[in-house]
Amino acid sequence: MPEDSYARGSTGVALLGDTIGANLDRTAARVGDHEALVECASGRRWTYSQLNADVDACALGLDALGVHMGDRVGIWSPNCAEWVFVQYGTAKLGAILVNINPAYRTHELAYVLRQAGISVLVAAPQFKTSDYRAMVAEVRGDCPDLRDVVFLGDPEWERLLATGRAADRGRLAERAGQLSADDAINIQYTSGTTGFPKGATLSHHNLLNNGFFVGEGCGYTEADRICIPVPYYHCFGMGMGNLGATTHGATMVIPAPGFDPAATLQAVQDERCTSLYGVPTMFIAELALPNFADYDLSSLRTGIMAGSPCPVEVMKRVVSEMGMTQVTICYGMTETSPVSTQTGADDDLDRRTSTVGRVHPHLEIKVADPDTGETVPRGETGEFRTRGYSVMRGYWNEPDKTADAIDADGWMRTGDLAVMDDAGYVNIVGRIKDMVIRGGENVYPREIEEFLYTHPDIADAQVIGVPDERYGEELMAWVQLRPGAPPLTAESLRQFCHGKLAHYKIPRYVKIVDAFPMTVTGKVRKVEMREVSVDELGLQDAAAIRNA
């Protein structure tokens, strides 16, 4: 009888019982003179002692503004050193940091400010084409809880830090004595495909331990220097990046405020980074730079690819061309702090490039029938579910949605389709909602995307289902070509697939694009792709057909 698709993580290394602030204090006491943070755009640098002092100043400055334990403090900014001050400073106060997506417009900003009840907002003045000052001014009257707005770089921000530096540090010791590792400390709004985003509420214990064990999976020590081009607003940046570093005394390197492939590789070269993070599209952009071979990446040892499905061919290039021989894939979701599985440095190349690894320490995972919740046998497809310290406290002020996501036994429903093999390695084969049903055949876009990556002219590919009057759905591939590649037609792509994929898995439609519609965290917005495709292909009648 086949073994169930269930696995439990190791418990050989104990969970941390600290708060985030106490853990930073311990690291600063241990490696105070070691470099903690580098901001490449400005050239600014901090040792752990200097960083901890600025974090304390930020905390005491916010305290002087009247921020109390449990108050929500918003941060709306691209990656910068001040983001780090606010992240750790609010943790030392016991305030709840609310991460606001830098790409939000006024409608989304107003929703988050109201839904979380944010009383103090720390914001950049602007980013790219967004004028944050004007946008805040536009919505402020509709956000009754918003008491103070402090823009980074303004006199008010400098005054906040100066006030904090002059304050009695005994205040922080007093606050520390009131905090618990189980306190809610962070709200992150998940980028839902429909409706308003939900605020995943995470504790010190959630975030600190997940960052620590991700770092353990990468083998971090204080000798490591981590290049973090992924956004701080998401768990990947502020959790796996910052907390992965500070729990090990490693160095955080911010290559640029927003992702820039050239700036990222320059930072790796100049700062001799040993680890590089990114979502797949970031690594694809870096590898596609015309002068990629000119960068000295010889310092790289490890890193993390995560955030969306990781193409096997891209992983192989990262290993062979970027020298990241110990690169790991992490899989998870915001609601689980975020990582549930990770590949290991000692895994063979096939498992390290074609799976998302095995269960993380102190967690449980299973692959379950989406309808019944029953664990399926290994080798069968089902919904990936996880349970343990990493599962969020819930969606902020939305108990019904929390109950929909976390079952009565504490299992988090991810919505991802997965297969677990006999050795416990997991492969993510798609989203339950992304699955395409063509003429009664279940088709998982991920499988087809992986195949399309083997085409010599294709740099990136995303497959979606579009409505079809005969089959219910048909397949469409959105494709990015490599620089200098010849034109690609639907017919030539079908010829490439012929004889290698089952006929029902071969895309009927092909669209050549320069980029995919993305969330700020690097997830492809397939719902938007489908909407665009329906309009461009004239499939409105097929889309209007109702099905049982």
Side-chain angles (χ1 to χ4, degrees):
M1 186 174 177
E3 189 178 355
D4 280 347
S5 296
Y6 169 86
R8 182 192 297 269
S10 66
T11 56
V13 177
L15 286 164
L16 301 177
D18 298 342
T19 62
I20 289 170
N23 187 267
L24 179 62
D25 288 342
R26 286 203 297 119
T27 300
R30 181 171 61 85
V31 292
D33 293 335
H34 187 66
E35 196 161 64
L37 178 64
V38 178
E39 186 185 77
C40 294
S42 66
R44 295 183 294 169
R45 296 172 183 272
W46 288 259
T47 65
Y48 265 97
S49 292
Q50 292 166 338
L51 174 63
N52 205 30
D54 278 346
V55 165
D56 286 354
C58 178
L60 289 166
L62 289 169
D63 179 66
L65 269 186
V67 174
H68 299 113
M69 183 175 170
D71 286 354
R72 274 77 67 207
V73 175
I75 176 84
W76 194 29
S77 166
N79 290 10
C80 61
E82 287 76 11
W83 214 111
V84 183
F85 302 167
V86 176
Q87 175 185 347
Y88 288 85
T90 50
K92 287 194 173 189
L93 286 181
I96 300 174
L97 180 70
V98 183
N99 303 1
I100 302 176
N101 186 328
Y104 274 0
R105 312 307 295 173
T106 50
H107 182 61
E108 299 149 316
L109 172 65
Y111 173 78
V112 168
L113 290 170
R114 288 194 301 265
Q115 206 275 334
I118 291 172
S119 58
V120 175
L121 174 66
V122 178
Q126 72 281 321
F127 180 54
K128 294 183 178 178
T129 60
S130 295
D131 182 343
Y132 287 174
R133 291 185 197 275
M135 294 165 77
V136 170
E138 183 177 334
V139 304
R140 192 167 184 175
D142 296 323
C143 302
D145 295 311
L146 186 59
R147 190 179 69 241
D148 290 291
V149 179
V150 181
F151 288 101
L152 298 174
D154 276 9
E156 289 81 4
W157 171 254
E158 300 305 327
R159 193 177 306 121
L160 182 148
L161 290 181
T163 300
R165 291 190 183 102
D168 178 5
R169 287 180 176 268
R171 288 282 296 162
L172 284 183
E174 183 182 319
R175 283 292 186 98
Q178 300 169 354
L179 305 183
S180 162
D182 293 321
D183 292 338
I185 203 66
N186 185 219
I187 298 174
Q188 299 194 28
Y189 281 85
T190 59
S191 49
T193 54
T194 59
F196 282 109
K198 303 182 291 290
T201 306
L202 304 168
S203 67
H204 294 273
H205 195 64
N206 290 148
L207 286 165
L208 186 68
N209 277 289
N210 207 257
F212 172 69
F213 281 109
V214 165
E216 290 286 284
C218 291
Y220 286 156
T221 70
E222 61 197 64
D224 281 292
R225 299 174 68 80
I226 308 167
C227 184
I228 309 173
V230 292
Y232 277 161
Y233 121 89
H234 187 258
C235 272
F236 201 169
M238 58 94 74
M240 299 156 69
N242 289 351
L243 290 167
T246 59
T247 52
H248 291 86
T251 305
M252 301 165 278
V253 177
I254 306 173
F259 175 64
D260 179 302
T264 299
L265 296 190
Q266 193 69 49
V268 170
Q269 173 180 292
D270 294 349
E271 296 298 329
R272 307 301 294 160
C273 293
T274 60
S275 177
L276 172 61
Y277 286 7
V279 298
T281 51
M282 291 181 175
F283 284 104
I284 290 168
E286 290 154 11
L287 289 162
L289 287 172
N291 63 336
F292 169 78
D294 295 340
Y295 292 98
D296 179 3
L297 308 180
S298 59
S299 59
L300 284 175
R301 169 183 66 80
T302 186
I304 297 172
M305 190 185 293
S308 61
C310 303
V312 172
E313 293 304 313
V314 176
M315 273 295 292
K316 289 179 177 176
R317 291 188 67 197
V318 166
V319 171
S320 63
E321 298 176 39
M322 301 181 81
M324 295 169 61
T325 56
Q326 297 176 29
V327 66
T328 70
I329 288 179
C330 289
Y331 162 78
M333 61 191 305
T334 303
E335 289 89 337
T336 57
S337 308
V339 174
S340 296
T341 69
Q342 186 172 3
T343 56
D346 56 349
D347 289 337
D348 61 49
L349 182 63
D350 179 61
R351 281 173 166 152
R352 283 176 47 230
T353 57
S354 64
T355 78
V356 295
R358 290 183 286 187
V359 62
H360 237 229
H362 297 278
L363 298 179
E364 296 174 273
I365 62 172
K366 69 176 179 177
V367 179
D369 182 298
D371 297 321
T372 67
E374 293 297 316
T375 306
V376 302
R378 295 201 178 191
E380 291 191 12
T381 299
E383 183 184 26
F384 183 95
R385 298 186 181 185
T386 185
R387 178 168 70 178
Y389 80 83
S390 67
V391 175
M392 66 175 180
R393 295 172 60 91
Y395 293 119
W396 184 259
N397 282 346
E398 295 193 278
D400 291 345
K401 290 181 179 177
T402 301
D404 288 341
I406 304 170
D407 72 18
D409 295 318
W411 288 99
M412 179 76 209
R413 303 181 179 101
T414 67
D416 285 324
L417 292 166
V419 177
M420 183 185 293
D421 71 14
D422 289 339
Y425 289 86
V426 175
N427 186 249
I428 303 299
V429 297
R431 292 281 298 167
I432 290 174
K433 293 179 181 177
D434 284 348
M435 186 178 72
V436 178
I437 304 177
R438 181 194 182 276
E441 297 278 5
N442 291 352
V443 181
Y444 302 110
R446 174 75 190 280
E447 177 190 358
I448 302 165
E449 290 161 0
E450 290 288 358
F451 174 74
L452 295 180
Y453 278 111
T454 66
H455 192 292
D457 297 328
I458 290 178
D460 202 356
Q462 298 292 328
V463 173
I464 59 172
V466 294
D468 183 79
E469 293 186 13
R470 180 178 180 186
Y471 293 107
E473 286 185 287
E474 266 288 7
L475 294 171
M476 181 175 190
W478 283 39
V479 171
Q480 280 182 280
L481 297 178
R482 298 190 192 282
L488 183 72
T489 65
E491 181 55 34
S492 63
L493 186 65
R494 282 197 292 269
Q495 286 297 320
F496 178 78
C497 298
H498 183 73
K500 300 168 188 166
L501 289 178
H503 70 91
Y504 63 87
K505 296 180 182 178
I506 296 176
R508 178 176 176 183
Y509 306 104
V510 175
K511 177 180 174 66
I512 308 300
V513 296
D514 294 326
F516 305 116
M518 310 281 279
T519 69
V520 74
T521 56
K523 289 185 172 64
V524 176
R525 290 187 54 81
K526 288 195 172 183
V527 169
E528 185 176 332
M529 289 168 57
R530 188 178 188 275
E531 292 169 352
V532 169
S533 300
V534 167
D535 286 341
E536 291 183 352
L537 297 172
L539 301 176
Q540 291 87 350
D541 288 346
I545 296 173
R546 295 185 63 188
N547 299 292

